[in-house]
Amino acid sequence: MTRVDVLVFDGVDDLDVVAPYEVLDLAKRMGAGISAAVVALDGDGVTTQGGLRLGTTAKWAPDGATVLLVPGGGYAAKDGAGVHAELRSGALPEALRAAIRPDQVFASVCTGAFLLAAAGLVSGRPCTTHHRAAADLERAGGRYRAERVVDDGDLVTSGGITSGLDLGLHLVERFAGAEYATSVAKALEYERRTA
């Protein structure tokens, strides 16, 4: 069973979490051998950028996850909850750094790439984020590509917000096959995009 843990934090973007989670959960219900969980470092729920209270579905246990998926959120506002607050705290990047192991895959949606960068995971590697943060990602050490999903083996990043759907479908295809990804996209009435 492939397990994808979506790591949430206060100020996370709602769709960055829900889009890939919905794709992965639907794949599970179709029998794809994939499961998804929403986790937080402290195990508690979080408040999203949109003000929704989001609970967790599992405890933070990165050694049991095949993929650690980090959403973005709140990047445009430098203060308040969101990616910048997590960067200042350092706890989430440190937890990601501690989770590195040979078979661990790290993924991000949108500005979640900056949390992976702070953990030392994007340096010199092809990756993507929201197009408005592309220059910042390059300053953080990544080699920005203007694509919806960039797969560099143990690092899989996706662009802004709705590209989380494409990331979820990419992970389904990678771990369960193209037929499942096609079936999920059809059920969601979503046309996959690459650019």
Side-chain angles (χ1 to χ4, degrees):
M1 173 75 72
T2 298
R3 189 177 103 198
V4 180
D5 282 2
V6 182
L7 180 57
V8 297
F9 49 88
D10 282 324
V12 70
D13 183 87
D14 305 62
L15 196 56
D16 281 14
V17 175
V18 176
Y21 184 87
E22 175 75 11
V23 168
L24 296 164
D25 187 62
L26 183 52
K28 175 186 176 184
R29 288 182 271 145
M30 290 180 172
I34 293 177
S35 68
V38 175
V39 301
L41 290 185
D42 62 9
D44 292 334
V46 299
T47 301
T48 68
Q49 191 70 34
L52 294 175
R53 187 71 184 151
L54 185 64
T56 58
T57 61
K59 292 186 176 187
W60 168 251
D63 54 335
T66 310
V67 179
L68 291 175
L69 191 158
V70 183
Y75 192 78
K78 303 289 186 203
D79 50 355
V83 169
H84 288 290
E86 296 303 321
L87 291 171
R88 284 190 298 275
S89 157
L92 197 151
E94 181 55 37
L96 292 169
R97 197 170 12 262
I100 296 171
R101 64 179 198 267
D103 59 343
Q104 182 67 67
V105 176
F106 291 89
S108 65
V109 179
C110 198
T111 56
F114 292 97
L115 295 166
L116 297 183
L121 294 163
V122 306
S123 186
R125 300 181 71 179
C127 52
T128 194
T129 188
H130 193 286
H131 67 276
R132 290 185 179 167
D136 289 346
L137 185 59
E138 290 193 335
R139 282 190 286 275
R143 291 188 351 222
Y144 175 75
R145 287 193 183 164
E147 299 174 25
R148 298 281 284 180
V149 177
V150 176
D151 188 329
D152 191 41
D154 62 352
L155 176 67
V156 185
T157 54
S158 65
I161 311 169
T162 62
S163 65
L165 288 164
D166 296 295
L167 174 66
L169 290 166
H170 179 84
L171 293 173
V172 169
E173 183 170 341
R174 177 172 163 174
F175 290 103
E179 288 183 18
Y180 278 111
T182 299
S183 295
V184 171
K186 186 173 182 178
L188 293 173
E189 295 191 1
Y190 179 73
E191 288 186 34
R192 291 175 77 177
R193 294 179 50 202
T194 57

PDB file of all heavy atoms in Angstrom, residues 35-53:
ATOM      1  N   SER A  35      -3.354   5.139  -0.131  1.00  0.00           N
ATOM      2  CA  SER A  35      -4.132   5.763   0.930  1.00  0.00           C
ATOM      3  C   SER A  35      -3.573   7.151   1.181  1.00  0.00           C
ATOM      4  O   SER A  35      -2.403   7.413   0.920  1.00  0.00           O
ATOM      5  CB  SER A  35      -4.085   4.932   2.216  1.00  0.00           C
ATOM      6  OG  SER A  35      -2.788   4.947   2.764  1.00  0.00           O
ATOM      7  N   ALA A  36      -4.415   8.021   1.670  1.00  0.00           N
ATOM      8  CA  ALA A  36      -3.991   9.386   1.980  1.00  0.00           C
ATOM      9  C   ALA A  36      -4.399   9.706   3.404  1.00  0.00           C
ATOM     10  O   ALA A  36      -5.445   9.263   3.881  1.00  0.00           O
ATOM     11  CB  ALA A  36      -4.628  10.380   1.016  1.00  0.00           C
ATOM     12  N   ALA A  37      -3.558  10.459   4.074  1.00  0.00           N
ATOM     13  CA  ALA A  37      -3.845  10.900   5.439  1.00  0.00           C
ATOM     14  C   ALA A  37      -3.498  12.365   5.557  1.00  0.00           C
ATOM     15  O   ALA A  37      -2.594  12.858   4.884  1.00  0.00           O
ATOM     16  CB  ALA A  37      -3.039  10.077   6.443  1.00  0.00           C
ATOM     17  N   VAL A  38      -4.216  13.072   6.396  1.00  0.00           N
ATOM     18  CA  VAL A  38      -3.903  14.462   6.721  1.00  0.00           C
ATOM     19  C   VAL A  38      -3.247  14.436   8.092  1.00  0.00           C
ATOM     20  O   VAL A  38      -3.823  13.936   9.053  1.00  0.00           O
ATOM     21  CB  VAL A  38      -5.171  15.341   6.732  1.00  0.00           C
ATOM     22  CG1 VAL A  38      -4.844  16.756   7.184  1.00  0.00           C
ATOM     23  CG2 VAL A  38      -5.816  15.352   5.351  1.00  0.00           C
ATOM     24  N   VAL A  39      -2.021  14.962   8.163  1.00  0.00           N
ATOM     25  CA  VAL A  39      -1.253  14.941   9.404  1.00  0.00           C
ATOM     26  C   VAL A  39      -0.743  16.341   9.730  1.00  0.00           C
ATOM     27  O   VAL A  39      -0.624  17.192   8.857  1.00  0.00           O
ATOM     28  CB  VAL A  39      -0.063  13.950   9.326  1.00  0.00           C
ATOM     29  CG1 VAL A  39      -0.552  12.538   9.029  1.00  0.00           C
ATOM     30  CG2 VAL A  39       0.955  14.393   8.281  1.00  0.00           C
ATOM     31  N   ALA A  40      -0.447  16.555  11.004  1.00  0.00           N
ATOM     32  CA  ALA A  40       0.165  17.800  11.464  1.00  0.00           C
ATOM     33  C   ALA A  40       1.255  17.421  12.459  1.00  0.00           C
ATOM     34  O   ALA A  40       1.177  16.377  13.107  1.00  0.00           O
ATOM     35  CB  ALA A  40      -0.864  18.714  12.118  1.00  0.00           C
ATOM     36  N   LEU A  41       2.269  18.254  12.575  1.00  0.00           N
ATOM     37  CA  LEU A  41       3.375  17.936  13.476  1.00  0.00           C
ATOM     38  C   LEU A  41       2.908  17.706  14.899  1.00  0.00           C
ATOM     39  O   LEU A  41       3.359  16.783  15.570  1.00  0.00           O
ATOM     40  CB  LEU A  41       4.425  19.049  13.465  1.00  0.00           C
ATOM     41  CG  LEU A  41       5.255  19.191  12.195  1.00  0.00           C
ATOM     42  CD1 LEU A  41       6.325  20.246  12.385  1.00  0.00           C
ATOM     43  CD2 LEU A  41       5.879  17.874  11.779  1.00  0.00           C
ATOM     44  N   ASP A  42       1.981  18.539  15.368  1.00  0.00           N
ATOM     45  CA  ASP A  42       1.526  18.414  16.759  1.00  0.00           C
ATOM     46  C   ASP A  42       0.326  17.495  16.905  1.00  0.00           C
ATOM     47  O   ASP A  42      -0.159  17.262  18.006  1.00  0.00           O
ATOM     48  CB  ASP A  42       1.214  19.786  17.348  1.00  0.00           C
ATOM     49  CG  ASP A  42       0.095  20.514  16.611  1.00  0.00           C
ATOM     50  OD1 ASP A  42      -0.568  19.896  15.750  1.00  0.00           O
ATOM     51  OD2 ASP A  42      -0.116  21.695  16.904  1.00  0.00           O
ATOM     52  N   GLY A  43      -0.171  16.968  15.783  1.00  0.00           N
ATOM     53  CA  GLY A  43      -1.294  16.047  15.830  1.00  0.00           C
ATOM     54  C   GLY A  43      -2.649  16.706  15.912  1.00  0.00           C
ATOM     55  O   GLY A  43      -3.667  16.054  15.787  1.00  0.00           O
ATOM     56  N   ASP A  44      -2.678  18.015  16.136  1.00  0.00           N
ATOM     57  CA  ASP A  44      -3.946  18.731  16.244  1.00  0.00           C
ATOM     58  C   ASP A  44      -4.413  19.202  14.874  1.00  0.00           C
ATOM     59  O   ASP A  44      -3.679  19.157  13.896  1.00  0.00           O
ATOM     60  CB  ASP A  44      -3.796  19.946  17.165  1.00  0.00           C
ATOM     61  CG  ASP A  44      -3.561  19.549  18.611  1.00  0.00           C
ATOM     62  OD1 ASP A  44      -3.989  18.443  18.997  1.00  0.00           O
ATOM     63  OD2 ASP A  44      -2.944  20.334  19.346  1.00  0.00           O
ATOM     64  N   GLY A  45      -5.627  19.699  14.847  1.00  0.00           N
ATOM     65  CA  GLY A  45      -6.141  20.291  13.631  1.00  0.00           C
ATOM     66  C   GLY A  45      -5.525  21.668  13.413  1.00  0.00           C
ATOM     67  O   GLY A  45      -4.798  22.191  14.264  1.00  0.00           O
ATOM     68  N   VAL A  46      -5.794  22.224  12.245  1.00  0.00           N
ATOM     69  CA  VAL A  46      -5.262  23.536  11.883  1.00  0.00           C
ATOM     70  C   VAL A  46      -6.389  24.401  11.341  1.00  0.00           C
ATOM     71  O   VAL A  46      -7.472  23.906  11.020  1.00  0.00           O
ATOM     72  CB  VAL A  46      -4.141  23.414  10.825  1.00  0.00           C
ATOM     73  CG1 VAL A  46      -2.971  22.587  11.352  1.00  0.00           C
ATOM     74  CG2 VAL A  46      -4.667  22.843   9.510  1.00  0.00           C
ATOM     75  N   THR A  47      -6.114  25.692  11.223  1.00  0.00           N
ATOM     76  CA  THR A  47      -7.029  26.611  10.571  1.00  0.00           C
ATOM     77  C   THR A  47      -6.420  26.988   9.235  1.00  0.00           C
ATOM     78  O   THR A  47      -5.274  27.449   9.169  1.00  0.00           O
ATOM     79  CB  THR A  47      -7.270  27.866  11.436  1.00  0.00           C
ATOM     80  OG1 THR A  47      -7.801  27.444  12.701  1.00  0.00           O
ATOM     81  CG2 THR A  47      -8.249  28.811  10.761  1.00  0.00           C
ATOM     82  N   THR A  48      -7.173  26.775   8.157  1.00  0.00           N
ATOM     83  CA  THR A  48      -6.667  27.034   6.809  1.00  0.00           C
ATOM     84  C   THR A  48      -6.640  28.531   6.505  1.00  0.00           C
ATOM     85  O   THR A  48      -7.200  29.342   7.250  1.00  0.00           O
ATOM     86  CB  THR A  48      -7.538  26.336   5.757  1.00  0.00           C
ATOM     87  OG1 THR A  48      -8.829  26.967   5.739  1.00  0.00           O
ATOM     88  CG2 THR A  48      -7.673  24.848   6.029  1.00  0.00           C
ATOM     89  N   GLN A  49      -6.037  28.872   5.380  1.00  0.00           N
ATOM     90  CA  GLN A  49      -5.989  30.259   4.921  1.00  0.00           C
ATOM     91  C   GLN A  49      -7.400  30.820   4.773  1.00  0.00           C
ATOM     92  O   GLN A  49      -7.649  31.984   5.060  1.00  0.00           O
ATOM     93  CB  GLN A  49      -5.237  30.331   3.589  1.00  0.00           C
ATOM     94  CG  GLN A  49      -4.899  31.721   3.140  1.00  0.00           C
ATOM     95  CD  GLN A  49      -3.831  32.358   4.013  1.00  0.00           C
ATOM     96  OE1 GLN A  49      -2.937  31.705   4.511  1.00  0.00           O
ATOM     97  NE2 GLN A  49      -3.925  33.655   4.205  1.00  0.00           N
ATOM     98  N   GLY A  50      -8.327  29.971   4.358  1.00  0.00           N
ATOM     99  CA  GLY A  50      -9.711  30.404   4.171  1.00  0.00           C
ATOM    100  C   GLY A  50     -10.541  30.412   5.441  1.00  0.00           C
ATOM    101  O   GLY A  50     -11.717  30.730   5.408  1.00  0.00           O
ATOM    102  N   GLY A  51      -9.930  30.021   6.571  1.00  0.00           N
ATOM    103  CA  GLY A  51     -10.637  30.053   7.844  1.00  0.00           C
ATOM    104  C   GLY A  51     -11.340  28.764   8.232  1.00  0.00           C
ATOM    105  O   GLY A  51     -12.035  28.729   9.253  1.00  0.00           O
ATOM    106  N   LEU A  52     -11.181  27.717   7.444  1.00  0.00           N
ATOM    107  CA  LEU A  52     -11.801  26.440   7.790  1.00  0.00           C
ATOM    108  C   LEU A  52     -10.973  25.731   8.861  1.00  0.00           C
ATOM    109  O   LEU A  52      -9.742  25.787   8.850  1.00  0.00           O
ATOM    110  CB  LEU A  52     -11.876  25.527   6.564  1.00  0.00           C
ATOM    111  CG  LEU A  52     -12.776  25.980   5.422  1.00  0.00           C
ATOM    112  CD1 LEU A  52     -12.643  25.019   4.250  1.00  0.00           C
ATOM    113  CD2 LEU A  52     -14.218  26.058   5.878  1.00  0.00           C
ATOM    114  N   ARG A  53     -11.646  25.075   9.755  1.00  0.00           N
ATOM    115  CA  ARG A  53     -10.962  24.259  10.756  1.00  0.00           C
ATOM    116  C   ARG A  53     -10.809  22.872  10.159  1.00  0.00           C
ATOM    117  O   ARG A  53     -11.796  22.240   9.776  1.00  0.00           O
ATOM    118  CB  ARG A  53     -11.776  24.223  12.055  1.00  0.00           C
ATOM    119  CG  ARG A  53     -11.066  23.557  13.181  1.00  0.00           C
ATOM    120  CD  ARG A  53      -9.914  24.415  13.696  1.00  0.00           C
ATOM    121  NE  ARG A  53      -9.212  23.663  14.739  1.00  0.00           N
ATOM    122  CZ  ARG A  53      -7.951  23.788  15.011  1.00  0.00           C
ATOM    123  NH1 ARG A  53      -7.215  24.665  14.369  1.00  0.00           N
ATOM    124  NH2 ARG A  53      -7.391  23.071  15.945  1.00  0.00           N
TER     125      ARG A  53
END
